[in-house]
Amino acid sequence: MSEQTTANRERRPSRRHFLRAGAAVAGGAALAAAPAAADTGNLPPNIPEWMKAPGAPMGDQPYGTPSIYEKGVVKNISKTLPQYLSASGRTPLQEVDGIITPNGLFYERHHGGVPTIDPAQHRLMLHGLVDHPLIFTMDDIRRFPSQSRIHFIECSGNPVYSKPYGKTASDLVGLVSCAEWTGVMLKDVLDEAGLQKEAKWIVAEGADAAAMTRSIPIEKCLDDAMLVYSQNGERLRPQQGYPLRLLLPGFEGNMNIKWLRRLKAVAEPVYSREETSKYTDLMPDGTAREFTFYMEAKSIILRPSGGQKLNGSGFHEISGIAWSGHGKIKRVEVSVDDGKSWQVAKLQEPVLTRALTRFRLPWQWDGTPAVIQSRAIDETEYVQPTLAELLAVRGVNHYYHNNAIWPWRIDSNGEVSNALG
Amino acid sequence: MRLARPHVALLAALIAGLAVAAQADERFHIGRAATPAEIKGWDIDIGHDGSNLPPGNGSVERGRVVFSEQCASCHGADGQGGVGDRLAGGQGTLASAKPARTVGSYWPYAPTLFDYIRRAMPQNAPQSLSDEDVYAVSAYILHLNGLAPADAVLDAKTLAAIKMPNRDRFVSDPRPDVP
């Protein structure tokens, strides 16, 4: 963990106790594990106790789990949701490094709970405007030529436009995660059935209790859409659609249908509840945008970010993530003076299309109050807008597709908070 | 040179033939044929125009009973909302500071109501209602929104014929729209 949380540990015992009580917030893991301040027996010049006896034997954990000192690094799930069957849980973005989200921390959004599906009894049906309606077993799907690709998935409402805005980066934009996905190209499977020329959309349906349904334009299906069965090397987690999910790189998360059981080729969209009543964007004049598929370019600083604390002035690395549904991140600019000037951040390779991209900027903090923020520019030259610019066009009831620049305020005592909160 | 043309034509035909053969070979021959019965059992999609709506019908009166038993605990006795979404009222509020997006104020197509109730409701037992009861609950919710009279009995034809007030208020994605 960062020096920020080390500072918390040493200076704020009351906060430590709060976290021990089980709250999962920034810095929870390191803090929960903190030894008593007087316990210096494992520090130089003494020999640490874990060197004086053998550790746990092989086989202690057939499936490895994080250190007991990382117990606080868990999904960020509100404790006050009206119900938990159609709900979401966020990635603790500020606790995760690099661009790959660990499978256990990948954000979740489901509409009728998480089904337990026996893969031997799971089938994918492909029908509608095709020459050969087909049924595939999971073994069948895995026989198609496979591909592995790194892509983010982001919920369309991440965050919404109205207050209260969250305190931490996870509260704000924790409904984005990124993984290496393995599966087959949807085009190969569609070709197997023989798409008829009238087929302009594919209706995809999940095998969950919501029978989640979305219409996907055929161009996307024949481009980079995939049917994936693995995530970061292992089979999909149930929360991510085990045993099979649709992956539509750059499209809003709910369209990446999980527990995929059916694909129907049709001439026009089905106008399901999820693409009319939900996942449409209300404008100030009462009209609503429909089929707003792409997630536009976005970035967020994760270190330092809301809920953290800088341990004094001096050197601090600013680090964050950027992504765009329209392709690669071309540039990320960072301002440390409340938007007056912007510096180009360094992008960590690899910079991949429709994937999280890590950016960093070395920074000397002079100890005075500051507002820091980042803005992403993607390969289409699109520039991430401010919240004020978005609200001026879309209004506060737009709900989805908020990709605003999000500034953090740093007080003279080092505490970081949401500058728009 | 005069002989070249037939050669070119022959070559072109040959290449075309090879291309067709290659295309045919692109199939992997994976999976098996889906039977009409299997497709009928799984294809629960109802088109926005009412296509694929099943036979049968349901009344507002019957819907009132089913709604009170199956839906009211989450959506309120009159569809005013609770743990579940608000379903009724809200017409004329979409451009206001507090828009109420209900079936009556927001949904563009009535058949989608049948589709969604059948596939996903009630939340604790989806796909458990008979088609007749799905018609009935749809009719009752439309009645709560002033879109079906108290004595209405809806079937495939009459449900699809209902014009929803907000149908023409959806626009396609104009982004990038900012700045």
Side-chain angles (χ1 to χ4, degrees), chain A residues 59 76 212 222 230 243 304 335 348 365:
Chain A
N76 171 9
M212 183 73 186
L222 299 177
S230 283
S335 171
Q348 169 73 58
W365 182 46

Side-chain angles (χ1 to χ4, degrees), chain A residues 154-285:
Chain A
E154 181 182 20
C155 181
S156 54
N158 188 37
V160 298
Y161 294 74
S162 55
K163 291 185 177 184
Y165 304 126
K167 289 185 167 55
T168 69
S170 176
D171 293 344
L172 275 168
V173 293
L175 297 176
V176 65
S177 306
C178 185
E180 184 203 50
W181 307 92
T182 300
V184 303
M185 301 311 294
L186 176 55
K187 180 182 187 304
D188 286 346
V189 179
L190 295 177
D191 283 348
E192 192 71 5
L195 274 181
Q196 296 171 1
K197 67 176 188 301
E198 298 81 13
K200 300 299 181 199
W201 297 76
I202 299 289
V203 179
E205 180 183 84
D208 58 331
M212 183 73 186
T213 308
R214 289 295 313 258
S215 308
I216 323 293
I218 199 71
E219 295 78 13
K220 185 67 172 177
C221 297
L222 299 177
D223 180 16
D224 60 351
M226 295 178 72
L227 305 182
V228 298
Y229 41 75
S230 283
Q231 176 180 357
N232 294 333
E234 63 179 1
R235 297 290 185 269
L236 294 172
R237 294 290 173 92
Q239 296 83 357
Q240 299 306 325
Y242 182 88
L244 187 68
R245 94 176 290 174
L246 183 61
L247 181 73
L248 303 173
F251 275 25
E252 60 183 23
N254 71 85
M255 300 180 74
N256 297 252
I257 297 291
K258 299 189 282 191
W259 314 292
L260 184 71
R261 76 156 194 166
R262 196 162 62 86
L263 296 167
K264 182 182 182 183
V266 292
E268 54 178 2
V270 72
Y271 291 94
S272 72
R273 178 255 201 183
E274 309 296 346
E275 57 202 23
T276 53
S277 162
K278 305 292 177 186
Y279 303 114
T280 47
D281 312 286
L282 191 59
M283 297 293 290
D285 67 358

Side-chain angles (χ1 to χ4, degrees), chain B residues 14 28 38 40 43 50 60-61 65 68 79 115 128 131 145 159:
Chain B
L14 229 143
F28 295 100
E38 288 174 325
K40 188 168 185 293
D43 182 8
V60 170
E61 205 48 51
V65 175
S68 70
D115 176 282
S128 64
D131 287 345
N145 281 286
L159 178 63

Side-chain angles (χ1 to χ4, degrees), chain A residues 133-136 192 205 209 211 213 261-262 264 268 271 276-278 280 285 288-290 294 394 397, chain B residues 27-30 32 34 38 42-43 45 48 85 97 99 101 106-107 112 119 126 169-171 175 177:
Chain A
L134 293 171
I135 286 184
F136 303 100
E192 192 71 5
E205 180 183 84
T213 308
R261 76 156 194 166
R262 196 162 62 86
K264 182 182 182 183
E268 54 178 2
Y271 291 94
T276 53
S277 162
K278 305 292 177 186
T280 47
D285 67 358
R289 295 175 180 171
E290 63 182 5
Y294 278 102
R394 301 179 185 175
N397 293 319
Chain B
R27 276 197 71 187
F28 295 100
H29 300 283
I30 296 174
R32 67 164 176 84
E38 288 174 325
W42 271 26
D43 182 8
D45 296 344
H48 65 90
D85 284 356
R101 303 200 293 181
Y106 199 61
W107 288 44
T112 309
R119 75 173 56 243
R169 301 284 284 162
F170 289 86
V171 297
R175 297 176 304 160
D177 55 343

